[in-house]
Structures are given as C-alpha cells and as structure tokens.
C-alpha cells in the first residue's frame, strides 16, 4: 500500500470514528427503553386485538395509528386507548414501531427490544433518518468514491434501525449483506435491470470489436468537406451512438481527431462536442446503458410512494422536462453553424487556426478493449442491425406486454392508446428480450461474418460485462439505501422541515441545483441519481399530499423531478474535472485535461443557468412546460450572437 492509499484509509477511519462518537453521544441522550409487559394478543371476531401494556399490566393510553415494520413488510395498526386490531399474525422478529400522530405522516419512530423477557421500546429522533443519505453524500465528496460511501450509509442506517445499540455494530454490518442486499437481489425487477445492463454492455463491446461502430463513422466522415461540416459530423456521430456514453466518447473522439485536426479544429472543441453529446443523449434515449439504472432508481422511489405506475412510463413522461440534455445538444449546433465561440474556447480555436501553435499532447495509451479487432474491415451494418434489433425489440415488447384489446378498440386518440399501452407494459421484460436479441444479432454477424471466432466473441462479451460491473454494484448499494430511507421515513423528515415553508413547485429548481452540485463534487452522474432519487421523489410526493393535492396534480412534479435529477447530474458531470466521461473525452480527443475542463465549463454553465430559469423557475411560477424550450432557445441564441 503506497503513502497516498494509507492516507486515505487513515482519513476514512478517523472520519468514521468521529461520526460514530458523535452519533453515540447523541444516542446516549435518547430516552431509555420504556418497558412493556408485552403486546398482549386477544382473539377478536375480525382478527386479533393487540394491547399496549406497561410493566404493571396497565394499558398505555395511546390514540393514533402505527405500523410494525420488519424488512419490507408492514402491518398497519390503529390504536384507540392502547388497543389496535390487526387481521394477520404478528411477526416474530420486530424492528421498528412507527407511531403516527397525524394522518399518514409519521412523526415518531420507536425501536423495539425484547431483552430480559420484556418487550421494550425507545424513541429514535426522526432527524436521524437523514443521516444515512447525508453520510453517503459527505463520504462521496471527501473520498471521490461512491461504492464504499453508499455501503457505509446503509451500514449506518441498519445500525439506527437496530436501536443504536453498540452491541449491534457488527451484526448491523452483516445485515447489510445478508438482509438488505439479499432483499434487493430477490426482487425480479432489480434482477431484470441488472441482466439488461450486462447484455447491453456485452453488445456494445461486441459491435465495437467487430468494427461495426467504426463502420458507421467511416460512412459519415466523407461528408465532412469543411470545418463546419466536420464539427457537425462529430455532433451527429455523438447522437447516433446513443446507447452508451463511454463507447460514444472513445469511438467518436479517437475517430474524428485526425479529421478535425485537418480542418484546424482545436482539440478542446473536439473534446467539448464529444463530451457534451455523450451523456446528454445517453440519459434521454429510450435504449441505453443508462436506462436500466434510471428505471431502477425510479422504481425504488415509486415503491416508497406506492404509486401504481411503471418506471418506464414515468421516464417517458419526464422527457418533456429534460431541458439540459436537449438544450445542450441544440447549443452545440448553434456554436457550429453560427461559427462563434466565447471564453477560453475562443482562444483555443484561435490557437488551433495558427500554424505556429505547438503540437498537441497525444495520450500515450487509449483503452484497447474499446478498439476494433486489428486488421478487421469495418462494416456499418455490424452495429446498425444489433442496435435496430434492440430498439425494435423494446418497442415490440412494450406493445406485446401492455396490449389490451379493449383500449385499442376504443375511440381514443392513437397517442393516448399508445401511452396507455406503454404504461401498462412490463418494461423490464421488454428490455431483457430486446437486449438479448441485440446481443444474439451481434454474435451472429461477428461469427457468421468470420470477423471474430467463438473464443474472441466470448472474450468481447466478458469485456462488456466487466464494463458494467461498477454501475451494477452502485445500483445494488443504492437500492439497499432506498430500503433504509423507507424504513426510517427519510422523506417524512424532509417534509416536516419544509412543510409550510417551501412549495412543492420549487422542488424541481432546488433539485436541479442539488444534483448539479453533488455530481460536480463526486464526478459521477450515476452516483448522484442513486443518492437523490430515493429521497427527493418520495419527499415531494409526501409534501404534495400534505398540501392536499390529488395524485394527478402531484405526478407532473414527479415527472419534472425525475428529469431535474438527470439534467442536474449531467450538468455537474460536465463541469467536474474528476468526472470519468470528462477524463475519457480528454483522453480520446488528445486534449490536455485541464484545458478541456476550462473551455467546457463556461458552455455547460451557460446552458445550466438557462435551464434553471426556463425549467425550474418557470415551473415554480406555474407557466406551461413547453414555454421553457422556445425561451431557452432564444436565450442561448442571444448569448452566442452577442458573444
């Protein structure tokens, strides 16, 4: 272990000890366990009466509602003078007893213990519920690493669920895996997302290795007759290779670099176009390596909110609010066709146009795993048909799994029928079908065309699996954290401090800023989504309910928040010098990394500020969502025009 690694470990241990000491000191001030002689069960006509009694055998005078929470299961209880009726058997292993003092809003959480043959309980302050996600954010900011940060947050959450008992520190750590991770992996929806992500990753690796993506690039490059068209072809390739941001960055950057050099386009400009098309298009396209993660995060939030709508339907409805990805793609076109630049980028372009400019530093090493096989003859159809199969297979799968004859025989408009069908569809099943068909098509073209033999094909598939391993681990950790935040009612705490102070209409604006700051600090869009989705969406929904809004009025806010998290995450990722895609863009384009960050930052912030106003502020003022696009386009045009 080198000195730097030792320093990180020491800092992490010191920070953990400091947090633990502070929490334990706070926990010592929690009221002691109040003994209950037990939860006495008495048969009733409709089920079982549960009576709360103290150690003297007297009923505890409590009126209100509550739930026994154990794992992901809950039993609703409604107490009157200490007695509640429940229609099912009580579980053997109880964890948290949550008491309601206001309809549907949990205000008090109690931990239950059965030490000394007595059932005992003690109150846990509700603000403790924010500590696990807060710890995830703080650790990610300090150590620039998200997996350990998320799992540490889950560990802390389990420790709180276990009553902050020092004796349960190790058992809480073990429960992170044997209870929460196992629970996550037993969910069929979660497994579907993992399988889809791995299959798409394998397909991307295969169509890269067989020269398919290089073939698409070769088909388009002859159209680049001048500087403007060379930049436009670069932008177009970035949009066409929509299914993976890493593959997009490496393929487009490496391929277009000689062409842009010929037309004296700066490496900074190439890196900007590559970086600012990769994540925006991957985040909003229907079939990408991102969609599995996005659906997983959305699904976790929907389960907490108990909204009966498919994650894919929520994603599709959120696209109208995806201001940052769409306006970023438009902004690049403005710069290209108006032949205007400003800030550090203008200086970089002037230097590139000067033949006396010093040579660029070419990176010593490019990721060979994302390069075509040596001496392979690239053909566009080796990538086109697998991607077409994935897109077509997904559409077909959504229609097959969501088809209802009565809906299609009704007099409703076609788009209404299609929307209803997609909303009723099993999106996970459709995605798994489509990704498998896409991979099989890529395999058939590679082996049948004698481009790759069977061992080479298998190796490429494993490379694709490996490329998605880290995102899958992040997903599992995020899902586990979502369970903890649900058990501790984190969204309820957020509502308790914002209720009557912040309108639900301001949530998208605040969320966009929060996501951008988090992604900038961590350098990861995915980790930002993993942390924010399970907290922000349920909090907004609960706030809407507390304001007396019906679900149909809250859903547009949920859609906007879904897009705000994605948009803010991509913005922060574009501005961050530690972002993996930012680093890859510099590497693939042969550009100095700090120069890329310095030249891209003003452009990303320009679009971000416009989106903050036209998306977040307009929505808070009650203006229609579509108004943000024409106003945003005019604003961006004016900026470029006046630059």
């Amino acid at each position: 272990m080198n000195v730097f690694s030792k320093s990180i470990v020491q800092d992490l241990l010191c920070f953990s000890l400091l947090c633990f000491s502070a929490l334990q000191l706070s926990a010592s001030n929690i009221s002691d366990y109040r003994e209950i002689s037990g939860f006495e069960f008495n048969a009733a006509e409709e089920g079982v009466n549960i009576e709360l009694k103290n150690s003297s055998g007297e009923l505890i005078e409590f009126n209100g509602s509550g739930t026994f929470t154990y794992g992901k299961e809950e039993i609703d209880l409604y107490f009157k003078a200490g007695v509640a009726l429940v229609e099912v058997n009580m579980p053997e292993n109880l964890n948290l007893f949550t008491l309601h003092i206001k309809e549907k809003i949990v205000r008090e959480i109690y931990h239950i213990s059965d030490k000394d043959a007595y059932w005992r309980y003690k109150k846990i302050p509700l603000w403790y519920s924010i500590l696990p996600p807060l710890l995830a954010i703080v650790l990610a900011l300090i150590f620039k690493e998200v997996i350990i940060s998320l799992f540490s947050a889950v560990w802390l959450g389990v420790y709180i669920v276990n009553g902050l008992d020092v004796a349960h520190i190790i058992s809480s750590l073990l429960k992170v895996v044997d209870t929460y991770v196992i629970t996550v992996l037993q969910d069929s929806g979660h497994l579907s997302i993992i399988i889809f992500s791995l299959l798409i990753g394998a397909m991307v690796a295969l169509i890269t290795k067989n020269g398919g993506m290089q073939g698409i690039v070769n088909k388009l490059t002859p159209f680049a007759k001048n500087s403007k068209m060379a930049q436009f072809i670069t932008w177009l390739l970035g949009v066409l290779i929509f299914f993976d941001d890493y593959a997009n960055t490496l393929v487009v950057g490496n391929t277009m670099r000689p062409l842009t050099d010929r037309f004296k386009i700066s490496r900074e400009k190439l890196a900007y176009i590559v970086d600012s098309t990769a994540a925006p298009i991957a985040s909003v396209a229907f079939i990408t390596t991102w969609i599995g993660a996005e659906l997983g995060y959305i699904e976790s939030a929907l389960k907490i909110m108990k909204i009966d709508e498919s994650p894919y339907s929520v994603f599709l409805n959120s696209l109208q609010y995806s201001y940052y990805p769409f306006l970023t793609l438009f902004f690049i076109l403005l710069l290209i066709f108006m032949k205007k630049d400003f800030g550090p980028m203008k200086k970089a372009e002037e230097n590139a146009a000067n033949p006396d400019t010093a040579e660029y530093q070419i990176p010593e090493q490019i990721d060979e795993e994302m390069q075509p096989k040596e001496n392979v003859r690239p053909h566009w159809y080796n990538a086109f048909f697998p991607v077409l199969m994935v897109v077509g297979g997904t559409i077909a799968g959504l229609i097959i799994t969501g088809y209802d004859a009565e809906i299609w025989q009704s007099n409703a408009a076609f788009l209404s029928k299609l929307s209803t069908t997609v909303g009723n569809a099993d999106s996970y099943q459709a995605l798994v079908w489509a990704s498998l068909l896409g991979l099989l098509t890529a395999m058939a073209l590679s082996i049948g065309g004698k481009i790759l033999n069977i061992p080479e094909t298998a190796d490429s598939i494993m490379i694709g699996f490996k490329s998605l391993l880290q995102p899958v681990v992040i997903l599992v950790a995020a899902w586990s954290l979502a369970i903890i935040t649900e058990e501790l009612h984190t969204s309820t705490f957020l509502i308790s401090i914002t209720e009557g102070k912040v309108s639900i209409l301001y949530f998208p604006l605040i969320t966009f800023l929060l996501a951008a700051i988090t992604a900038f600090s961590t350098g990861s869009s995915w980790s930002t989504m993993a942390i924010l989705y399970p907290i922000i969406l349920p909090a907004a929904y609960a706030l809407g309910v507390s304001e007396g809004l019906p679900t149909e009025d809250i859903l547009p806010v949920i859609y906007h928040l879904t897009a705000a998290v994605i948009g803010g995450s991509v913005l922060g990722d574009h501005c961050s010098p530690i972002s993996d895609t930012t680093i890859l863009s510099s590497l693939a384009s042969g550009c100095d990394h700090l120069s890329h960050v310095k030249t891209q930052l003003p452009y990303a912030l320009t679009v971000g500020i416009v989106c903050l106003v036209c998306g977040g502020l307009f929505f808070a003022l009650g203006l229609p969502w579509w108004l943000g696009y024409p106003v945003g386009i005019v604003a961006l045009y004016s900026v470029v025009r006046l630059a």
Side-chain angles (χ1 to χ4, degrees):
M1 182 182 293
N2 58 35
V3 176
F4 181 69
S5 300
K6 287 182 179 179
S7 176
I8 291 179
V9 173
Q10 290 170 356
D11 289 345
L12 182 58
L13 288 174
C14 292
F15 182 79
S16 301
L17 287 172
L18 182 62
C19 290
F20 173 76
S21 301
L23 185 61
Q24 205 59 47
L25 180 62
S26 176
S28 65
N29 295 322
I30 298 177
S31 56
D32 293 334
Y33 279 105
R34 286 170 283 180
E35 290 189 352
I36 306 175
S37 60
F39 293 95
E40 188 169 314
F41 301 94
N42 294 316
E45 186 175 342
E46 299 87 354
V48 176
N49 275 328
I50 302 176
E51 299 178 355
L52 295 177
K53 292 188 176 183
N54 59 24
S55 56
S56 301
E58 300 170 340
L59 277 174
I60 297 176
E61 291 293 329
F62 172 70
N63 297 311
S65 57
T67 57
F68 278 109
T69 305
Y70 53 106
K72 297 181 68 174
E73 301 296 327
E74 288 185 349
I75 296 178
D76 291 324
L77 304 174
Y78 303 94
F79 287 96
K80 186 175 182 180
V83 180
L85 174 69
V86 65
E87 298 181 0
V88 295
N89 294 326
M90 294 300 298
E92 294 181 2
N93 299 317
L94 303 177
N95 246 339
L96 293 182
F97 178 37
T98 56
L99 298 182
H100 302 239
I101 60 173
K102 185 177 180 181
E103 185 180 2
K104 296 183 180 179
I105 301 295
V106 180
R107 297 299 190 196
E108 296 180 349
I109 301 177
Y110 294 83
H111 179 260
I112 293 175
S113 172
D114 60 352
K115 286 184 178 180
D116 305 323
Y118 284 102
W119 286 99
R120 306 184 303 161
Y121 70 98
K122 68 179 177 183
K123 182 178 178 180
I124 297 177
L126 190 59
W127 68 267
Y128 279 19
S129 64
I130 197 64
L131 293 180
L134 188 61
L135 179 67
I137 294 173
V138 170
L139 289 180
L141 295 180
I142 294 175
F143 300 108
K144 317 300 180 187
E145 202 286 326
V146 67
I147 294 177
I148 293 178
S149 302
L150 284 169
F151 275 104
S152 299
V154 178
W155 183 8
L156 174 62
V158 178
Y159 181 59
I160 295 173
V161 167
N162 283 335
L164 296 162
D165 189 338
V166 177
H168 290 158
I169 293 178
I170 301 302
S171 63
S172 297
L173 174 61
L174 299 178
K175 275 192 174 182
V176 170
V177 177
D178 69 25
T179 300
Y180 291 87
V181 171
I182 295 298
T183 299
V184 161
L185 294 177
Q186 287 175 339
D187 187 287
S188 61
H190 292 165
L191 288 176
S192 297
I193 290 169
I194 291 173
I195 292 171
F196 162 76
S197 300
L198 293 175
L199 291 176
I200 284 290
M203 186 196 77
V204 169
L206 200 53
I207 64 179
T208 300
K209 190 62 68 175
N210 69 16
M213 285 200 288
Q214 184 67 49
I216 291 178
V217 172
N218 292 348
K219 277 289 181 182
L220 292 174
T221 48
F223 294 98
K225 303 295 185 182
N226 51 45
S227 173
K228 181 168 67 176
M229 287 307 297
Q231 293 181 64
F232 174 70
I233 294 299
T234 305
W235 176 91
L236 184 60
L237 282 171
V239 172
L240 290 177
I241 305 177
F242 59 86
F243 37 84
D244 182 70
D245 55 334
Y246 288 172
N248 185 319
T249 298
L250 291 170
V251 171
V252 178
N254 285 311
T255 304
M256 296 303 295
R257 188 173 63 226
L259 187 66
T260 54
D261 282 352
R262 192 197 330 159
F263 289 107
K264 297 182 179 180
I265 299 167
S266 69
R267 294 286 178 84
E268 288 86 351
K269 189 66 171 291
L270 173 62
Y272 167 66
I273 297 174
V274 167
D275 199 0
S276 293
T277 53
I281 193 63
S283 67
V284 297
F286 296 171
I287 311 297
T288 70
T289 51
W290 283 52
I291 190 67
E294 290 169 345
L295 293 181
Y297 302 142
I298 294 169
E299 184 204 29
S300 296
L302 288 175
K303 285 184 177 180
I304 296 174
M305 296 183 290
K306 298 178 180 175
I307 294 178
D308 187 19
E309 186 168 358
S310 73
Y312 210 97
S313 176
V314 172
F315 171 76
L316 292 177
N317 282 299
S318 74
L319 291 179
Q320 64 192 38
Y321 301 106
S322 297
Y323 298 99
Y324 184 78
F326 289 127
L327 289 180
T328 294
L329 295 173
F330 173 77
F331 184 65
I332 299 172
L333 290 178
L334 278 179
L335 296 171
I336 293 172
F337 287 102
M338 294 179 68
K339 297 182 179 179
K340 293 288 291 288
D341 284 292
F342 59 88
M345 187 69 78
K346 183 177 181 179
K347 181 65 175 176
E349 285 291 274
E350 291 173 351
N351 289 339
N354 185 346
D356 296 327
T357 301
E359 291 184 1
Y360 290 96
Q361 180 182 356
I362 303 297
E364 297 179 359
Q365 168 178 357
I366 298 294
D367 191 350
E368 294 182 359
E369 291 184 342
M370 295 303 290
Q371 300 298 309
K373 179 184 175 182
E374 189 176 353
N375 298 324
V376 69
R377 185 176 179 182
H379 293 290
W380 62 271
Y381 50 78
N382 286 328
F384 177 78
F385 286 113
V387 173
L388 180 65
M389 186 64 71
V390 173
V391 175
T394 300
I395 295 172
L398 291 172
I399 293 174
I400 291 171
T401 59
Y403 180 79
D404 187 331
E406 292 184 5
I407 293 174
W408 285 95
Q409 291 171 5
S410 67
N411 295 324
F414 174 78
L415 289 179
S416 176
K417 295 177 182 178
L418 186 62
S419 176
T420 303
T421 300
V422 171
N424 294 335
D426 186 339
S427 55
Y428 297 133
Q429 192 172 18
L431 289 171
V432 170
W433 289 349
S435 57
L436 178 59
L437 290 174
L439 177 58
L440 292 176
T441 303
M443 291 174 63
L445 290 170
S446 300
I447 298 173
K450 297 182 179 180
I451 303 170
L452 303 174
N453 56 36
I454 292 179
E456 289 172 334
T457 300
D459 287 343
S460 297
I461 290 173
M462 293 309 298
I463 288 171
F465 288 165
K466 185 178 70 174
S467 69
L468 268 294
L469 180 60
Q470 182 176 0
V472 166
V473 175
I474 292 175
L475 265 176
V476 172
W479 284 327
S480 302
L481 183 60
I483 295 176
I484 286 294
T485 58
E486 181 181 5
E487 290 186 357
L488 293 176
H489 302 279
T490 304
S491 61
T492 299
F493 170 72
L494 294 176
I495 296 310
S496 68
I497 62 176
T498 58
E499 190 175 8
K501 304 180 185 71
V502 179
S503 169
I504 189 176
L505 296 178
Y506 283 93
F507 259 52
L509 187 152
I510 296 170
T511 298
F512 183 80
L513 280 173
L514 181 60
I517 293 170
T518 305
F520 173 80
S521 304
T522 62
S524 172
S525 301
W526 284 42
S527 63
T528 300
M529 292 188 289
I531 292 169
L532 294 184
Y533 268 133
I535 304 172
I536 295 296
L537 297 189
Y541 182 77
L543 180 59
V545 171
S546 70
E547 292 180 359
L549 298 176
T551 300
E552 56 268 22
D553 290 343
I554 302 176
L555 282 177
V557 181
I558 299 300
Y559 300 149
H560 198 158
L561 285 171
T562 302
V565 171
I566 294 174
S569 298
V570 176
L571 168 61
D573 187 90
H574 282 164
C575 297
S576 176
I578 61 172
S579 160
D580 46 6
T581 51
T582 304
I583 295 169
L584 280 176
S585 298
S586 305
L587 180 69
S589 303
C591 175
D592 177 74
H593 179 58
L594 292 181
S595 295
H596 169 44
V597 174
K598 182 175 66 175
T599 52
Q600 177 167 261
L601 185 61
Y603 287 176
L605 289 178
T606 297
V607 181
I609 292 170
V610 169
C611 293
L612 192 65
V613 174
C614 298
L617 187 59
F618 279 19
F619 186 82
L621 296 175
L623 299 174
W625 66 268
W626 55 264
L627 186 62
Y629 286 102
V631 173
I633 288 171
V634 171
L636 292 176
Y637 174 82
S638 301
V639 169
V640 177
R641 182 78 176 177
L642 298 173

